[in-house]
Amino acid sequence: MKDLEYYKKERSAPWRAELRKQIKAKERTLKPRTEMIEQEPLERIKNFAEVNQGLTPEMAIAEAQRCLDCPDPTCVDGCPVNINIPKFVKKIESNDFEGAIQVIKESNTLPAVCGRVCPQEQQCEANCFYNVKLQKPPIAIGYLERFAADYERNNGLGSTPEIEKRNGIKVASVGSGPSALAWSADMARKGYDVTVFEALHEIGGVLKYGIPEFRLPNDIIDYEIETLRKMGVKFVTNFVVGRTATFDDLRAQGFKAFFIGSGAGLPRFMGLPGENSINILSANEFLTRVNLMKGFRDDYDTPIPHGKNVVVVGGGNTAMDSVRTAKRLGAEHAYIVYRRSKEEMPARVEEVKHAEQEGIEFIFLANPREYIADEKGHVKKVVLDKMELGEPDESGRRRPIPTGETFELEADVVIVAIGLSPNPLVPHVVPGLKTSKWGTIIVDDDMHTSVEDMFAGGDIIRGGATVILAMGDGRRAAAGMHKYLKAKYPEKFEA
Amino acid sequence: MYKIVEKEILAPKIGKFVIEAPEIAKSRKPGNFIILRVEQKGERIPLTIVDSDVSKGTITLIVQEIGVTTGKLMDKEPGDYLLDVVGPLGKPTEIHKVGTVLAVGGGVGVAPLYPIAKGFKEAGNKVVSVIAAKTKELLILEDDMRQVSDEVIVYTDDGSYGKKGLITVGMEEVLERENVDESIIIGPAIMMKFAALLTKKYNVKTMASLNSLMVDGTGMCGACRVTVGGRTVFTCVDGPEFDAHQVDFDELLTRLTHYKDQEVKAYEEFMRTRKSHAVS
């Protein structure tokens, strides 16, 4: 929970009190929520450029004016990293965009990323007074966060956060996704000698290989990584911790603690007849070929499957990313096949809306039972079970049950986006590292694992969650690791 | 960046590269592979580590030009750099003292076979190797294989060198005359399929090293999935070696053709604009 006294004190600052007086609350509530500028659907399905184009300064200020600057900012409770939301929104209202991004950066290392991919409608915006009490659309906190971050980047205002006195202690992360990046920022700020190890050839993890350009351009991630580099974080690509070098090798090189952010690497399949036919891919493979390996560009060597009828199995954000990518690669029909109904889809509302606008065809209450291939082994048809919803299961959603009826769908490419299992590599090579029955690493409240010098966060402990939850884990792990190292090496922290 | 320190053309379109990668040289074991990327716009491809020199910090790779990426690699010369090399990946070969080992390598498959044969030899086994190629000039690593084998039997499809016939004839020669405790077979998928059928007939435990398509090589994409004993497994993290009698080779053969059309077209385009013809 947030420290309400702190927020009250911040709120009582004269500039904010003054700002509140400038527009009457009633007037604020009558303003409509700002609409994001978007590329036209028919235009954007022909390119990979970002769908959301951002807000203009005028739009951002108008949206910030809607915010009532509540005495108890419930929005903050919905934020996994507790950004001081009203403060940065009011900075925008007062035309101090640089001040706004500085407020955000106190709590969030990757604002340009989070402003784009966070499920705000389930977090800060869900808790907004407008939403809860006024039955009006909430303040567009996500748009405003993105606006502030873009403003800073586009105007070359990026500043490197201040670093505390260097303590010289070497620490390392396994992986370079959102949890590891958030962890590395906090550790660098606290004066540690930070190295980020990544198995792939680019830094960013799922932000690079998973999330498509049209939702999160790689340039934006690289910009944020550059800031970390300026803070002294060292990035090592092509390095599989546990294989290229063991943890003991790294300990011998002087590393005193590790953050495991190796993610949920292993794609799940359903084990159906014909599932290994040609052109049936995991979403991870499809998206990696397109995003990381730039298969959508003619000047890159990476081959990718182009289909007329592309079927994507699943209802999460990865499924939406896959199906919208397939559409952009020229699919005539790009289908989502989901075993429950629209209401239960875990994908973000905005992604579903965008997908619908782009002509994605949704088939609900259907689940593949078999794939049929042609004589060359290429998939040509999916046989689907018609499903119905029964009693709620442990996830609280109604359980889908086959009705016994089946139907067929023509498909020349099938993308399986039904989830991931935790990457087993680290648990395999670290004796004594406790994992759950799902293979996730078990941690305590400080994100400390059962191994003394190891902390963990992100999908390797959650099994498949969001960027912002991973970042929250990374920050908590940094705090936990700092506590541990300070107790263990007090001499390094003497003034 | 990973420097190429040596290059040798072993046969038409088959090159041996010695590459600076000190950490991999130190940690790799027989059976491990690496993934490399020649340049920014290139693909990631897996190659078995043939040998390493810890003191020099180098690993040895052998590559056969079959497409754009391998073509670009073949055009590289000593002093040039590869953009990315990551590894060692995959499970190392399980090497024990078992008695007599039949090591079977077809074509460029002799390259990944060499470190495994060497490992078995060093573990005190009797190693009988059968190596084969289409024709004499495509046969590679004969001398190296002789150094790590008690006996090497050579076959060529056209009889231009060694005995004439398919590799399975050579295998049968050995299986008929002596007791074999374990076999390892590496080569084109179609060769491994028939080699596995043969050792199954003789009831000899057999491992095959699979050459599936891969992207990341760390279990993330599933491109390399293959059915072994009725279960879907990933070649990159569960393999690359599997019980050859359990592998669904027909499925592997099909899956290897996944991007064939695009690959053939891209290779034709590459050849049309290729500057260097260092290898003919």
Side-chain angles (χ1 to χ4, degrees), chain A residues 199-201 209 238-240 243-244 265-267 269 275-282 284-285 288-289 293 299-305 376-377 423, chain B residues 2 23 27 37 40-44 68 72 84-90 215-216 219-223 225 227 232 234 251 254-255 257-259 262:
Chain A
L200 288 171
H201 57 260
Y209 71 75
N238 296 323
F239 199 104
V240 188
R243 290 277 165 97
T244 310
L266 295 187
F269 289 93
E275 201 176 29
N276 290 346
S277 302
I278 288 185
N279 276 346
I280 302 181
L281 303 80
S282 72
N284 258 9
E285 180 185 356
T288 299
R289 283 182 183 277
M293 305 303 298
D299 56 339
Y300 277 72
D301 293 340
T302 313
I304 42 171
K376 280 179 163 174
N423 193 319
Chain B
Y2 302 79
E23 274 144 340
S27 49
R37 204 162 66 120
Q40 185 61 34
K41 292 178 180 177
E43 292 175 276
R44 294 167 64 96
V68 174
K72 284 178 174 174
D84 299 295
V85 178
V86 61
L89 301 170
V215 183
D216 63 288
M220 202 184 81
C221 83
R225 65 196 196 272
T227 303
T232 294
F234 290 1
E251 183 187 88
T254 307
R255 289 187 59 80
T257 68
H258 193 157
Y259 297 103
Q262 286 180 67

Side-chain angles (χ1 to χ4, degrees), chain B residues 226-278:
Chain B
V226 56
T227 303
V228 178
R231 238 165 39 93
T232 294
V233 290
F234 290 1
T235 305
C236 65
V237 286
D238 300 315
E241 285 157 34
F242 295 103
D243 179 346
H245 300 155
Q246 302 285 323
V247 173
D248 184 342
F249 281 105
D250 290 329
E251 183 187 88
L252 175 68
L253 279 159
T254 307
R255 289 187 59 80
L256 285 169
T257 68
H258 193 157
Y259 297 103
K260 201 92 207 158
D261 294 347
Q262 286 180 67
E263 283 163 357
V264 167
K265 229 177 99 190
Y267 190 48
E268 283 168 7
E269 181 60 27
F270 171 73
M271 291 306 281
R272 207 171 24 243
T273 55
R274 193 176 196 177
K275 290 189 192 92
S276 154
H277 280 270

Side-chain angles (χ1 to χ4, degrees), chain B:
Chain B
M1 298 285 269
Y2 302 79
K3 190 178 182 182
I4 298 169
V5 291
E6 273 176 53
K7 175 187 178 181
E8 186 189 338
I9 301 299
L10 302 180
K13 296 199 170 195
I14 300 177
K16 174 174 138 181
F17 291 84
V18 178
I19 291 160
E20 263 177 18
E23 274 144 340
I24 302 174
K26 213 160 62 183
S27 49
R28 76 101 195 181
K29 292 191 174 74
N32 282 143
F33 64 94
I34 53 95
I35 293 237
L36 66 81
R37 204 162 66 120
V38 178
E39 49 166 47
Q40 185 61 34
K41 292 178 180 177
E43 292 175 276
R44 294 167 64 96
I45 58 161
L47 285 173
T48 301
I49 303 165
V50 177
D51 211 344
S52 65
D53 186 327
V54 178
S55 63
K56 288 183 185 152
T58 59
I59 56 169
T60 302
L61 306 173
I62 290 179
V63 61
Q64 179 171 38
E65 181 177 325
I66 51 164
V68 174
T69 305
T70 46
K72 284 178 174 174
L73 180 53
M74 287 297 272
D75 288 348
K76 293 285 174 195
E77 297 299 334
D80 290 346
Y81 287 82
L82 301 179
L83 187 56
D84 299 295
V85 178
V86 61
L89 301 170
K91 287 185 180 163
T93 313
E94 282 182 32
I95 291 173
H96 306 286
K97 186 164 182 198
V98 291
T100 300
V101 174
L102 176 61
V104 181
V108 77
V110 181
L113 182 68
Y114 168 75
I116 297 167
K118 189 178 170 189
F120 274 108
K121 183 67 196 166
E122 283 168 356
N125 293 286
K126 177 185 176 187
V127 175
V128 179
S129 298
V130 180
I131 59 173
K134 278 196 181 112
T135 185
K136 184 185 175 185
E137 65 171 352
L138 290 174
L139 189 77
I140 58 165
L141 300 185
E142 185 190 346
D143 290 344
D144 301 79
M145 286 303 292
R146 285 196 189 281
Q147 279 174 29
V148 299
S149 310
D150 293 87
E151 184 187 355
V152 174
I153 300 167
V154 178
Y155 270 74
T156 51
D157 291 2
D158 64 359
S160 55
Y161 187 63
K163 296 179 186 171
K164 183 181 159 105
L166 293 173
I167 203 162
T168 41
V169 183
M171 290 171 66
E172 194 141 30
E173 185 187 318
V174 179
L175 291 163
E176 275 298 315
R177 76 170 189 211
E178 66 184 294
N179 176 61
V180 171
D181 297 289
E182 194 170 325
S183 181
I184 171 93
I185 54 178
I186 310 182
I190 187 78
M191 178 215 107
M192 291 193 280
K193 175 183 170 177
F194 287 102
L197 286 172
L198 185 67
T199 58
K200 192 167 186 187
K201 197 172 96 184
Y202 287 87
N203 209 13
V204 173
K205 180 191 169 191
T206 302
M207 300 302 282
S209 178
L210 308 188
N211 52 341
S212 314
L213 301 184
M214 291 184 193
V215 183
D216 63 288
T218 62
M220 202 184 81
C221 83
C224 66
R225 65 196 196 272
V226 56
T227 303
V228 178
R231 238 165 39 93
T232 294
V233 290
F234 290 1
T235 305
C236 65
V237 286
D238 300 315
E241 285 157 34
F242 295 103
D243 179 346
H245 300 155
Q246 302 285 323
V247 173
D248 184 342
F249 281 105
D250 290 329
E251 183 187 88
L252 175 68
L253 279 159
T254 307
R255 289 187 59 80
L256 285 169
T257 68
H258 193 157
Y259 297 103
K260 201 92 207 158
D261 294 347
Q262 286 180 67
E263 283 163 357
V264 167
K265 229 177 99 190
Y267 190 48
E268 283 168 7
E269 181 60 27
F270 171 73
M271 291 306 281
R272 207 171 24 243
T273 55
R274 193 176 196 177
K275 290 189 192 92
S276 154
H277 280 270
V279 282
S280 47

Side-chain angles (χ1 to χ4, degrees), chain A residues 307-466:
Chain A
K308 259 191 203 172
N309 298 300
V310 179
V311 172
V312 176
V313 184
N317 288 322
T318 306
M320 293 307 136
D321 286 343
S322 301
V323 78
R324 296 172 65 199
T325 297
K327 189 79 187 177
R328 281 162 174 74
L329 291 170
E332 288 172 22
H333 295 282
Y335 301 99
I336 283 285
V337 165
Y338 182 54
R339 62 194 178 133
R340 306 185 209 237
S341 67
K342 187 174 175 182
E343 290 66 47
E344 288 85 14
M345 271 209 296
R348 286 192 62 200
V349 174
E350 182 177 54
E351 308 316 322
V352 177
K353 182 192 88 179
H354 282 162
E356 284 170 342
Q357 289 169 347
E358 289 166 11
I360 302 304
E361 295 159 65
F362 289 80
I363 300 173
F364 295 112
L365 293 167
N367 202 28
R369 61 178 290 144
E370 184 183 356
Y371 296 101
I372 296 167
D374 66 14
E375 65 287 352
K376 280 179 163 174
H378 293 238
V379 67
K380 64 172 185 186
K381 237 184 240 175
V382 193
V383 183
L384 297 139
D385 273 318
K386 274 193 189 172
M387 312 294 278
E388 62 189 7
L389 293 178
E391 293 301 306
D393 63 12
E394 62 276 15
S395 76
R397 295 175 301 177
R398 294 175 64 195
R399 186 193 300 275
I401 307 163
T403 58
E405 264 183 275
T406 65
F407 66 106
E408 290 182 350
L409 198 58
E410 301 273 323
D412 48 8
V413 172
V414 175
I415 296 158
V416 183
I418 56 163
L420 302 162
S421 303
N423 193 319
L425 199 132
V426 171
H428 273 179
V429 299
V430 180
L433 186 63
K434 286 202 181 117
T435 54
S436 71
K437 63 177 174 178
W438 301 281
T440 51
I441 295 177
I442 297 172
V443 292
D444 66 13
D445 289 344
D446 283 338
M447 316 307 276
H448 211 152
T449 71
S450 56
V451 175
E452 196 204 335
D453 60 354
M454 287 189 182
F455 295 73
D459 282 358
I460 192 69
I461 67 157
R462 295 176 180 275
T466 60

Side-chain angles (χ1 to χ4, degrees), chain A residues 259-273:
Chain A
F259 173 72
I260 316 299
S262 48
L266 295 187
R268 280 190 214 131
F269 289 93
M270 295 168 74
L272 303 177

Side-chain angles (χ1 to χ4, degrees), chain A residues 1-284:
Chain A
M1 263 327 244
K2 63 177 190 283
D3 171 11
L4 189 57
E5 285 313 307
Y6 162 78
Y7 287 91
K8 279 195 170 148
K9 198 171 148 255
E10 288 268 302
R11 184 177 180 269
S12 64
W15 69 273
R16 274 177 66 181
E18 184 55 37
L19 204 60
R20 280 194 297 275
K21 280 188 224 151
Q22 283 177 14
I23 304 171
K24 283 194 184 106
K26 175 85 185 164
E27 218 175 293
R28 292 181 189 271
T29 60
L30 293 174
K31 292 175 181 280
R33 178 177 154 122
T34 307
E35 299 274 332
M36 173 57 76
I37 305 172
E38 293 174 355
Q39 265 201 83
E40 284 303 317
L42 289 179
E43 197 47 47
R44 71 189 190 227
I45 57 169
K46 291 182 241 157
N47 65 53
F48 278 83
E50 212 179 348
V51 171
N52 287 351
Q53 305 278 293
L55 305 182
T56 63
E58 296 73 32
M59 290 163 79
I61 291 171
E63 182 63 25
Q65 286 171 345
R66 293 179 67 222
C67 173
L68 297 172
D69 201 5
C70 305
D72 178 1
T74 46
C75 50
V76 177
D77 300 328
C79 177
V81 297
N82 293 141
I83 293 174
N84 190 338
I85 294 168
K87 188 175 176 187
F88 99 76
V89 171
K90 292 297 122 181
K91 286 276 182 191
I92 289 178
E93 182 180 338
S94 59
N95 210 359
D96 179 7
F97 305 146
E98 217 180 326
I101 189 65
Q102 274 157 13
V103 172
I104 298 171
K105 281 192 160 178
E106 284 165 20
S107 325
N108 184 354
T109 329
L110 307 170
V113 173
C114 294
R116 286 169 166 82
V117 304
C118 264
Q120 292 100 4
E121 69 277 6
Q122 296 164 23
Q123 298 177 347
C124 49
E125 295 182 18
N127 281 9
C128 176
F129 181 77
Y130 276 70
N131 205 36
V132 179
K133 291 279 157 67
L134 302 179
Q135 274 75 51
K136 287 187 174 193
I139 309 301
I141 300 166
Y143 295 173
L144 293 176
E145 179 182 28
R146 175 198 156 132
F147 168 80
D150 288 359
Y151 180 85
E152 180 199 45
R153 191 180 62 258
N154 295 335
N155 291 289
L157 301 171
S159 56
T160 310
E162 268 180 47
I163 309 289
E164 285 170 32
K165 184 167 169 274
R166 305 249 178 218
N167 59 43
I169 300 177
K170 287 171 80 175
V171 293
S173 77
V174 180
S176 70
S179 70
L181 293 180
W183 168 87
S184 75
D186 281 9
M187 292 306 278
R189 241 186 267 194
K190 291 187 170 86
Y192 289 91
D193 180 352
V194 183
T195 304
V196 171
F197 290 106
E198 165 59 49
L200 288 171
H201 57 260
E202 283 203 33
I203 298 296
V206 70
L207 304 175
K208 278 277 176 65
Y209 71 75
I211 303 176
E213 283 286 302
F214 57 81
R215 212 148 71 79
L216 179 62
N218 281 350
D219 292 352
I220 285 166
I221 306 157
D222 286 334
Y223 177 86
E224 311 252 21
I225 290 165
E226 205 40 50
T227 308
L228 295 172
R229 231 185 270 277
K230 284 185 197 147
M231 290 165 69
V233 177
K234 285 168 247 174
F235 292 100
V236 181
T237 53
N238 296 323
F239 199 104
V240 188
V241 178
R243 290 277 165 97
T244 310
T246 62
F247 283 97
D248 280 341
D249 293 336
L250 296 174
R251 287 177 183 124
Q253 289 175 28
F255 286 98
K256 300 295 185 211
F258 300 93
F259 173 72
I260 316 299
S262 48
L266 295 187
R268 280 190 214 131
F269 289 93
M270 295 168 74
L272 303 177
E275 201 176 29
N276 290 346
S277 302
I278 288 185
N279 276 346
I280 302 181
L281 303 80
S282 72
N284 258 9

